[in-house]
């Protein structure tokens, strides 16, 4: 599993060079960072001798799409717990439709009922003689942070490989930060390589910042512990999470995001979505300006979510006078 | 430019092995065979010292999407001539929306007015001091067949490279056949390599079969002539075009195609669209059964068109009780 890194057209006056890593093109289930992360969960499930997978996410969840698909392909039972914000639009998305195609049972719950829903589904599966595996660990979503982090701890080698070929190192790597798994993994890779680059996560949800940093820290800690690596005491200073670009929270966006999506499609022919990648890309551009970065080599990790790009297009483009 | 070839899960009792070449993942403008073909047209335009591009297609056109994007990125003026069938649904598609984002001027016309529309647009551009290039040659769409064919004549080397690594040769290559450019190119590659495999095109439109074969033949002839290669007199016997799987013509489909799209998504996690790739994939499966192919190594060329997969999903999946 490896994807292309290439340079993008990037208008700026500060001689920065922008590159992109196209993990949206990973060749499974419409691609994205969740292809790597889902594989890590699946392997962990097998390792733990479990035979049924419980997945969790919103109706925009790319991870649930990939896990549902992976479980179908491997003949493993899969149940999705889908949480909803209050007063949220409940219309089906491309991801919910693709999940539905796999025959995955979906259990809906409110944002405050996740733990008890996980517990109930676990018990139901056990009553059927199954050994269920909840991707996030215990019912409160803790205990399996290291597994998710391992995906990008390993993918980091591809960035190093590219740098080696170029004969230079990136100064910055930007990525969307939602669950924190991708950023945790990249930080693990960075710490293990002992290189000098900065990994900057753009928080895309309304998760409390201190909590988000703590989740990333747990991911790094768990991965190091699981693999028996020594972790320096001050590793938390490597966690750079910017929370000023979330624009109202998960799934919320405005004209700046719309403009970013259109511009990056026509200029660099890449699809960005309003929930994750466009917000992170726009946030990166704002960060570059606000911090006057110059003469820097910058990598944007395209974490995928192409089905959400097409949700956006269907809503705001095709069939709509705005197109 | 190179894409992955990998083996697919394929249920059959005749020990056939099915492989797929993921040209839908080519990393430009949502991918597809048209990325290679558009590049060939663009290079030819430059070679001919032209500075404005006239493109032609329907509202489902993947080629127009990619060419509009390429022209935008390279700062070349682009005009799209969009033809409509009588009584056709004229709703915008993902492709028309993406074309619109690039600011490409679109001129609409009926199926019988294409030549005169091409001529009028050519004259208008010349009056502005431009040197226009019509991708298909003269106003009747002839004279540039060899350019389009060159894309897959060259891509054929990637198939050969894969075979070399495996130590065996494919027995069959299947692809959708619409304009015929992709199939022409593959046949050129096959003839130049002098290998034994069969290239089978699945006709996806209501184009008259004899005419479709003649267009493919012209493509092969032009490519060989353009490059000064000797063409054997009986080369037309290599043109295998199956017209029994078109299901009513361009863009038409039924439950067999719906089922094929769902099955291939969940089983092999690939997106197929009802206009091109699903029809070809289903046609290939039917051909394998009807001709009792066995113990064969078969390659399906995934020619892309992912925006049409999402058009399908929006129409028949998300937001619809069928999902």
């Amino acid at each position: 599993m490896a994807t292309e890194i290439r340079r993008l057209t990037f208008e700026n006056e500060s001689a920065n060079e922008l590159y992109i890593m196209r993990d949206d093109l990973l060749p499974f289930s419409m691609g994205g960072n969740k292809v790597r992360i889902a594989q890590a969960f699946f392997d962990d499930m097998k390792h733990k001798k479990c035979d049924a997978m419980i997945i969790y996410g919103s109706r925009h969840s790319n991870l649930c799409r990939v896990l549902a698909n992976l479980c179908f392909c491997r003949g493993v039972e899969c149940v999705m717990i889908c949480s909803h914000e209050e007063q949220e639009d409940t219309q089906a998305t491309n991801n919910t439709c693709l999940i539905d195609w796999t025959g995955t049972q979906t259990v809906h719950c409110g944002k405050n009922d996740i733990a008890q829903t996980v517990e109930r589904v676990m018990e139901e599966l056990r009553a059927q003689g199954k050994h269920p595996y909840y991707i996030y660990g215990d019912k409160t979503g803790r205990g399996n942070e290291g597994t998710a982090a391992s995906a990008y701890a390993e993918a980091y080698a591809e960035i190093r490989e590219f740098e080696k070929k170029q004969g230079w190192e990136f100064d910055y790597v930007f990525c969307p930060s939602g669950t924190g798994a991708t950023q945790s993994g990249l930080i693990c890779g960075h710490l293990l390589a002992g290189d000098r680059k900065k990994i900057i996560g753009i928080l895309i949800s309304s998760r409390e910042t201190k909590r988000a940093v703590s989740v990333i820290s747990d991911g790094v800690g768990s991965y190091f512990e699981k693999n028996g690596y020594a972790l320096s005491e001050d590793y938390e200073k490597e966690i750079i999470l910017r929370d000023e670009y979330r624009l109202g929270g998960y799934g919320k966006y405005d004209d700046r995001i719309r403009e970013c999506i259109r511009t990056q499609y026509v200029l660099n022919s890449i699809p960005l979505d309003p929930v994750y990648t466009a917000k992170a890309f726009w946030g990166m551009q704002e960060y570059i300006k606000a911090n006057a970065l110059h003469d820097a080599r910058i990598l944007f990790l395209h974490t995928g979510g192409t089905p959400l790009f097409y949700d956006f297009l269907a809503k705001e483009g095709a069939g709509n006078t705005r197109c």
Side-chain angles (χ1 to χ4, degrees), chain A residues 82-241:
Chain A
C82 182
S83 73
H84 298 269
E85 305 270 3
E86 276 178 50
Q87 300 180 316
E88 189 195 347
D89 179 3
T90 55
Q91 207 190 0
T93 64
N94 284 321
N95 277 338
T96 54
C97 180
L98 293 173
I99 291 166
D100 193 69
W101 280 5
T102 62
T104 299
Q105 185 199 338
T106 303
V107 178
H108 297 274
C109 72
K111 272 279 178 201
N112 298 319
D113 306 323
I114 303 165
Q116 70 186 71
T117 309
V118 169
E119 195 162 38
R120 180 166 58 80
V121 172
M122 293 282 269
E123 278 164 18
E124 283 168 10
L125 286 165
R126 284 197 194 103
Q128 293 165 33
K130 291 276 184 183
H131 298 85
Y133 172 92
Y134 176 46
I135 55 170
Y136 290 133
D138 68 18
K139 66 178 180 180
T140 68
R142 290 174 186 258
N144 207 17
E145 295 84 356
T147 298
S150 68
Y152 277 86
E154 287 165 24
Y156 198 82
E158 294 172 31
I159 299 172
R160 298 275 294 169
E161 188 61 31
F162 178 82
E163 291 175 326
K164 201 173 149 190
K165 276 188 197 151
Q166 305 294 315
W168 46 252
E169 187 186 336
F170 286 112
D171 301 294
Y172 300 89
V173 179
F174 285 86
C175 68
S177 202
T179 65
T182 301
Q183 193 179 354
S184 290
L186 292 173
I187 292 171
C188 291
H190 158 63
L191 290 169
L192 289 167
D195 58 16
R196 64 178 176 76
K197 73 176 72 68
K198 288 186 198 309
I199 315 290
I200 303 182
I202 305 291
L203 194 59
I204 54 82
S205 73
S206 43
R207 178 178 273 187
E208 203 243 318
T209 311
K210 211 170 143 187
R211 157 97 176 118
V213 169
S214 148
V215 170
I216 294 169
S217 177
D218 286 352
V220 175
S222 302
Y223 178 76
F224 270 67
E225 193 186 331
K226 196 174 172 180
N227 290 282
Y229 299 136
L231 185 57
S232 68
E233 275 183 19
D234 62 346
Y235 77 94
E236 286 194 333
K237 72 175 170 42
E238 299 297 326
I239 303 173
I240 310 172
L241 185 65

Side-chain angles (χ1 to χ4, degrees), chain A residues 240-252:
Chain A
I240 310 172
L241 185 65
R242 305 305 306 203
D243 62 5
E244 65 267 55
Y245 309 115
R246 52 176 118 190
L247 299 177
Y250 187 79
K252 307 252 169 68

Side-chain angles (χ1 to χ4, degrees), chain A residues 4-140:
Chain A
E4 186 201 56
I5 295 177
R6 74 175 165 94
R7 189 158 170 194
L8 289 185
T9 299
F10 185 52
E11 284 167 22
N12 72 111
E13 291 161 1
S14 307
N16 294 306
E17 289 180 8
L18 181 63
Y19 293 77
I20 195 165
M21 180 166 176
R22 297 289 307 267
D23 271 10
D24 59 316
L25 298 178
L26 287 169
F28 183 82
S29 192
M30 323 314 288
N33 60 336
K34 304 305 189 186
V35 175
R36 299 185 195 262
I37 292 171
Q39 189 63 55
F41 281 132
F42 197 88
D43 294 346
D44 188 53
M45 180 199 71
K46 286 282 176 195
H47 181 73
K48 288 174 176 155
K49 313 272 187 222
C50 293
D51 56 8
M53 171 99 66
I54 300 171
I55 65 183
Y56 164 74
S58 78
R59 67 199 180 92
H60 301 294
S61 175
N62 292 309
L63 177 60
C64 288
R65 177 193 75 246
V66 180
L67 276 168
N69 203 169
L70 190 57
C71 287
F72 181 94
C73 293
R74 307 288 178 83
V76 167
E77 186 172 346
C78 181
V79 180
M80 173 177 179
I81 295 170
C82 182
S83 73
H84 298 269
E85 305 270 3
E86 276 178 50
Q87 300 180 316
E88 189 195 347
D89 179 3
T90 55
Q91 207 190 0
T93 64
N94 284 321
N95 277 338
T96 54
C97 180
L98 293 173
I99 291 166
D100 193 69
W101 280 5
T102 62
T104 299
Q105 185 199 338
T106 303
V107 178
H108 297 274
C109 72
K111 272 279 178 201
N112 298 319
D113 306 323
I114 303 165
Q116 70 186 71
T117 309
V118 169
E119 195 162 38
R120 180 166 58 80
V121 172
M122 293 282 269
E123 278 164 18
E124 283 168 10
L125 286 165
R126 284 197 194 103
Q128 293 165 33
K130 291 276 184 183
H131 298 85
Y133 172 92
Y134 176 46
I135 55 170
Y136 290 133
D138 68 18
K139 66 178 180 180
T140 68

Side-chain angles (χ1 to χ4, degrees), chain A residues 265-278:
Chain A
Y265 170 74
V266 297
L267 192 64
N268 283 307
S269 75
I270 49 170
L272 297 176
D273 78 89
V275 184
Y276 302 99
T277 53

